């Protein structure tokens, strides 16, 4: 999105320069080249940094494959991007080499699972370790389970399952299964390109609250506690989240309500028109609904270009939020909780 925005800016600037009749053709080309370098340099720098990180010596079969298939293509594409195009008409072609690489990767991105030996051979060969199971470092087991838990009285990682499931969401998180020293299987979500340190602190806060609740005989007798899951940051850009079974995300609850609403509207339309073959209209994504409102609202404020969210006026964001809230029934969440509850 940022690249397309910059290309559009270059096209606008090129049109403005072309309309200046006082400049010679050589002067126009020089101005366009200077603006191209100024606007596209941050993109080139970011790409070169990413290329440097992917051009190191391959350590896994997957890295070896990627290096062999795409390293030369990416180097060539970045080199071409550094050179200003010969004419403004060619601005639309400067990103095409990267689009070609992305199109080539689509088939690989559709994979729903991958062998752990391809992406992390050392983990695939792991057999018995003293590494505590993430999120269970402080769990003290009963004496009957002490033999399985090792010398420290905590569950440790014995091995990793052979296959890694790839989720189809935006950041392509990975679902991992670890075998514990107690014989149980522990499942985690490996998320990249996201800082989970704040999430980890929130879970630690909930754990502390549970300790306070447990210290009181009144709350302890009523089994009052907050349910939480473990979050283990690996770095500032990745971490492990404990997998929780049998849950529904708020996103899925909202999407289900959208689909039910669309089906009901289609049925009413069929009854009123007498056409029983009316198709169910497309259900828009929540992000499409948001941008469908925020962009016109920004234009009303005179903001034509999609800039950083941080720069959006607060009153515009509040207005869009209230409109979306008004269009959404207040009871959909508690209805889902009621229908999913037992008894």
């Amino acid at each position: 999105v940022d690249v397309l925005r910059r290309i559009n800016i270059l096209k606008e600037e090129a049109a403005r320069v072309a309309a200046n009749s006082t400049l010679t053709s050589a002067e126009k080309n020089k101005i366009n080249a200077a603006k191209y370098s100024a606007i596209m340099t941050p993109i080139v720098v970011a790409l070169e940094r990413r290329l440097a990180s992917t051009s190191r010596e391959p350590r896994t079969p997957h890295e070896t494959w990627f290096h062999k298939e795409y390293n030369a293509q990416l180097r060539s594409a970045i080199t071409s991007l550094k050179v200003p195009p010969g004419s403004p008409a060619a601005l639309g072609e400067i990103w095409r080499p990267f689009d070609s690489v992305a199109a080539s990767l689509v088939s690989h991105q559709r994979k729903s699972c991958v062998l752990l030996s391809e992406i992390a051979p050392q983990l695939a060969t792991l057999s018995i370790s003293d590494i505590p199971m993430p999120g269970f470092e402080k769990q003290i087991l009963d004496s009957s389970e002490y033999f399985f838990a090792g010398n420290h009285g905590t569950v440790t990682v014995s091995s990793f399952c052979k296959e890694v499931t790839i989720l189809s969401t935006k950041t392509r998180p990975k679902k991992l299964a670890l075998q514990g020293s107690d014989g149980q299987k522990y499942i985690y979500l490996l998320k990249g390109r996201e800082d989970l340190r704040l999430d980890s602190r929130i879970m630690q806060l909930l754990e502390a609250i549970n300790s306070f609740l447990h210290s009181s005989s009144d709350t302890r007798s009523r089994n009052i506690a907050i349910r939480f899951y473990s979050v283990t940051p690996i770095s500032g850009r990745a971490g492990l989240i404990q997998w929780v079974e049998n849950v529904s995300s708020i996103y899925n609850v909202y999407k289900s309500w959208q689909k039910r609403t669309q089906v009901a509207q289609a049925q009413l339309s069929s009854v009123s028109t007498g056409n029983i073959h009316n198709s169910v209209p497309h259900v828009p994504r929540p992000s499409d609904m948001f941008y469908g409102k925020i962009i016109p609202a920004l234009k009303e404020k005179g903001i034509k270009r999609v800039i950083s969210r941080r720069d959006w006026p607060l009153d515009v964001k509040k207005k869009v939020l209230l409109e979306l809230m008004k269009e959404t029934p207040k009871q959909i969440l508690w209805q889902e909780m009621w229908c999913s509850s037992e008894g």
Side-chain angles (χ1 to χ4, degrees), residues 286-300 312-328:
S287 58
D288 294 337
M289 296 172 62
F290 173 73
Y291 281 105
K293 290 182 178 294
I294 194 71
I295 292 177
L298 290 171
K299 287 182 178 179
E300 289 180 5
W312 291 351
L314 180 60
D315 59 327
V316 173
K317 292 189 286 187
K318 184 177 180 180
K319 176 187 174 184
V320 171
L321 173 63
L322 293 175
E323 288 179 3
L324 290 171
M325 289 173 63
K326 188 176 180 180
E327 295 172 3
T328 306

Side-chain angles (χ1 to χ4, degrees), residues 116 123-134 136 148-150 154-164 175-188 240:
L116 184 64
L123 294 181
T125 57
L126 179 70
S127 178
I128 304 177
S129 73
D130 293 328
I131 303 171
M133 189 65 66
F136 295 86
F148 298 102
T154 58
V155 180
T156 57
V157 178
S158 290
S159 62
F160 285 76
C161 290
K162 295 181 179 179
E163 286 192 348
V164 176
K175 185 179 178 183
L176 304 173
L178 283 65
Q179 194 73 29
S181 55
D182 58 351
Q184 300 296 318
K185 186 179 290 186
Y186 296 83
I187 302 176
Y188 296 89
L240 288 173

Side-chain angles (χ1 to χ4, degrees), residues 35-303:
K35 290 185 176 181
Y36 179 90
S37 297
I39 292 175
M40 296 305 294
T41 293
I43 300 297
V44 172
V45 171
L47 289 171
E48 287 181 331
R49 287 177 180 172
R50 182 55 57 90
L51 180 64
S53 66
T54 57
S55 297
R56 65 186 182 187
E57 188 68 25
R59 299 178 182 177
T60 69
H62 183 77
E63 289 178 356
T64 301
W65 164 81
F66 184 87
H67 190 275
K68 181 180 178 181
E69 289 289 328
Y70 298 107
N71 189 267
Q73 292 185 49
L74 290 171
R75 286 185 182 278
S76 175
I78 293 174
T79 301
S80 299
L81 189 64
K82 291 180 180 180
V83 181
S87 66
L91 284 170
E93 303 295 320
I94 62 174
W95 197 249
R96 192 171 297 278
F98 297 97
D99 286 335
S100 298
V101 173
S104 176
L105 283 168
V106 166
S107 60
H108 300 283
Q109 291 176 335
R110 289 175 181 167
K111 287 184 177 181
S112 59
C113 64
V114 65
L115 292 176
L116 184 64
S117 57
E118 293 181 3
I119 57 176
Q122 290 183 328
L123 294 181
T125 57
L126 179 70
S127 178
I128 304 177
S129 73
D130 293 328
I131 303 171
M133 189 65 66
F136 295 86
E137 296 88 348
K138 298 179 181 179
Q139 180 177 335
I140 305 300
L141 302 179
D142 296 335
S143 57
S144 60
E145 298 177 287
Y146 187 82
F147 174 78
F148 298 102
N151 296 330
H152 303 292
T154 58
V155 180
T156 57
V157 178
S158 290
S159 62
F160 285 76
C161 290
K162 295 181 179 179
E163 286 192 348
V164 176
T165 302
I166 304 173
L167 276 64
S168 59
T169 50
K170 183 178 179 180
T171 57
R172 311 285 292 174
K174 313 299 185 291
K175 185 179 178 183
L176 304 173
L178 283 65
Q179 194 73 29
S181 55
D182 58 351
Q184 300 296 318
K185 186 179 290 186
Y186 296 83
I187 302 176
Y188 296 89
L189 188 70
L190 174 62
K191 293 198 74 173
R193 292 184 287 174
E194 191 169 337
D195 189 351
L196 297 179
R197 288 175 291 187
L198 178 59
D199 302 68
S200 176
R201 293 290 183 268
I202 293 173
M203 293 304 155
Q204 289 173 7
L205 173 62
L206 297 181
E207 187 177 4
I209 293 173
N210 277 347
S211 297
F212 284 119
L213 292 173
H214 187 74
S215 64
S216 169
S217 58
D218 182 36
T219 53
R220 185 171 63 250
S221 63
R222 290 184 287 165
N223 292 324
I224 296 177
I226 302 172
R227 296 182 64 183
F228 63 94
Y229 49 87
S230 71
V231 178
T232 308
I234 299 174
S235 68
R237 296 281 291 169
L240 288 173
I241 300 176
Q242 182 183 4
W243 187 269
V244 183
E245 298 285 359
N246 303 319
V247 296
S248 296
S249 66
I250 293 179
Y251 176 83
N252 287 335
V253 172
Y254 186 81
K255 289 293 290 184
S256 297
W257 165 75
Q258 280 186 303
K259 290 179 181 178
R260 291 196 302 270
T261 303
Q262 294 283 35
V263 170
Q265 290 176 350
Q267 290 174 343
L268 287 174
S269 177
S270 298
V271 172
S272 60
T273 60
N275 183 4
I276 61 173
H277 300 293
N278 278 351
S279 60
V280 178
H282 172 69
V283 179
R285 295 183 302 174
S287 58
D288 294 337
M289 296 172 62
F290 173 73
Y291 281 105
K293 290 182 178 294
I294 194 71
I295 292 177
L298 290 171
K299 287 182 178 179
E300 289 180 5
K301 285 283 187 177
I303 303 173

